[in-house]
Amino acid sequence: MTEENNIEQQNPEQASEEKHMRTVKSFVLRAGRMTEGQQKAMEDVWPQMGLELKQGMLDLAEVFNRDAPVVLEIGFGMGDSLVEMAKDQPEKNYIGIEVHRPGVGRILSNAEREGLGNIRVFCDDAIEVLAQCIPDGSLDCIQLFFPDPWHKKRHHKRRIVQPEFAQTLRKKLKVGGVFHMATDWENYAEHMMEVMSAAEGYQNVAGDGEYSPQPKWRPVTKFQKRGERLGHGVWDLMFEKLS
C-alpha cells in the first residue's frame, strides 16, 4: 500500500486537501477550440519553432543558431504582443511559454507569416520549463505581463509572483538581467512590489517602491486595453538581478 493510499484510509478529508495543495497551479487551463489555421500551424510550424520538456536542458545558442540576448515570456496568451516585440527587435531571441493551445497555434501562425526566426515556443507549465530546460544564468530578461490576478483574497496564494518564484527566476537570469512584470490590478501590483522589494539579489530599476514607466518596446496588449476600458490603471515593475 502506498503512503498516499494509507493517508486516504486514515483521513480522507486530509488526503483530499493534501492532494489539492500538491496540484495548485498559478494558471487556469481554459478550454478553447483551435481554428483550422491554428491547428495547421501546430502541425506545420511546431517542428521548427516548438520546444518540449523532453529535450531537457537547452543550449540556447544552438536552439536559435546564434548567440544573442534571450528574452523569456511566461504566459503570452494569444501571442500578438510577443510577435510584435520579436519583429521590432530582431537582435534578440524570444522564448514564449503558454499552456493554452489556441494561443500557441496563433503565435506559430503569426510568426511564420512574419518570417520570424527569433521565436521559439513551449506549450507547457512554466515552472516545469524553467526547472528542466532553461540553464541557470542564461536569460537577459523574463517577462510576465498581465498574469491571472486571483483577485479574491482567499486565492492570493495562487498568484505566480511569490518569494520562491522570484528566486527561481533569479537563478535563470544573468547578472544585470531584468524581471519585468505588468498588471492592470492595483492590488496585484502592490503584491508584486512587496514580494520583489523583499527578494534577495534584486534591485528595483525605478528606485525603491517605485513603478516603472511602460517602455516603448512593450506593446499595449488586449488585456491592457480591456483594463483601461474598465478604468483600471496599468503598473510596470522592473527588477534587476544584482547577484
Side-chain angles (χ1 to χ4, degrees):
M1 179 181 293
T2 65
E3 181 180 355
E4 183 173 300
N5 288 336
N6 190 41
I7 290 173
E8 288 180 359
Q9 280 199 351
Q10 293 176 21
N11 190 334
E13 290 184 5
Q14 179 186 353
S16 177
E17 182 178 353
E18 291 189 7
K19 278 186 177 180
H20 171 73
M21 291 304 294
R22 288 198 295 270
T23 58
V24 164
K25 297 288 187 181
S26 59
F27 58 86
V28 175
L29 188 55
R30 296 176 175 86
R33 181 173 296 179
M34 299 183 73
T35 66
E36 289 185 12
Q38 291 165 359
Q39 184 60 49
K40 189 174 188 302
M42 289 295 287
E43 294 168 359
D44 297 345
V45 186
W46 179 265
Q48 288 75 50
M49 295 187 184
L51 297 172
E52 300 185 35
L53 292 176
K54 66 183 180 183
Q55 292 175 248
M57 201 59 67
L58 300 173
D59 180 329
L60 298 183
E62 183 178 309
V63 166
F64 290 96
N65 297 312
R66 67 173 186 170
D67 191 3
V70 179
V71 178
L72 181 143
E73 181 162 336
I74 297 171
F76 58 73
M78 298 307 286
D80 294 353
S81 64
L82 186 55
V83 166
E84 187 175 339
M85 283 184 281
K87 182 180 177 182
D88 292 344
Q89 300 178 84
E91 73 279 5
K92 297 180 181 179
N93 294 331
Y94 289 84
I95 297 175
I97 306 174
E98 177 58 57
V99 295
H100 188 56
R101 286 180 63 81
V104 173
R106 180 180 175 89
I107 197 173
L108 293 174
S109 178
N110 289 343
E112 182 190 40
R113 188 185 67 244
E114 296 290 348
L116 300 178
N118 61 334
I119 286 185
R120 299 292 185 272
V121 181
F122 280 96
C123 186
D124 286 293
D125 181 352
I127 300 301
E128 297 299 322
V129 170
L130 290 165
Q132 299 181 41
C133 302
I134 305 300
D136 290 352
S138 65
L139 302 176
D140 294 83
C141 182
I142 298 174
Q143 299 177 166
L144 180 70
F145 298 153
F146 305 96
D148 194 322
W150 295 105
H151 55 276
K152 293 181 180 179
K153 190 171 183 178
R154 68 178 182 272
H155 291 156
H156 284 186
K157 64 181 179 293
R158 293 176 178 263
R159 289 175 169 177
I160 192 170
V161 179
Q162 303 289 353
E164 182 179 357
F165 180 71
Q167 295 309 317
T168 294
L169 299 192
R170 180 181 162 214
K171 291 178 183 177
K172 303 304 173 180
L173 286 166
K174 297 177 180 177
V175 173
V178 172
F179 177 29
H180 182 188
M181 297 150 278
T183 181
D184 63 335
W185 285 84
E186 185 173 12
N187 177 263
Y188 200 3
E190 293 168 350
H191 170 88
M192 290 172 167
M193 182 66 75
E194 180 180 355
V195 169
M196 294 307 302
S197 295
E200 181 182 353
Y202 285 99
Q203 174 178 273
N204 188 336
V205 173
D208 290 347
E210 298 294 326
Y211 295 98
S212 293
Q214 179 178 340
K216 292 181 179 179
W217 46 262
R218 180 174 77 73
V220 176
T221 69
K222 72 171 186 177
F223 292 101
Q224 181 169 344
K225 291 176 182 177
R226 180 198 64 188
E228 290 171 343
R229 284 197 304 271
L230 295 172
H232 297 181
V234 174
W235 293 266
D236 281 67
L237 300 85
M238 303 176 74
F239 279 76
E240 177 185 357
K241 175 179 174 176
L242 295 180
S243 62

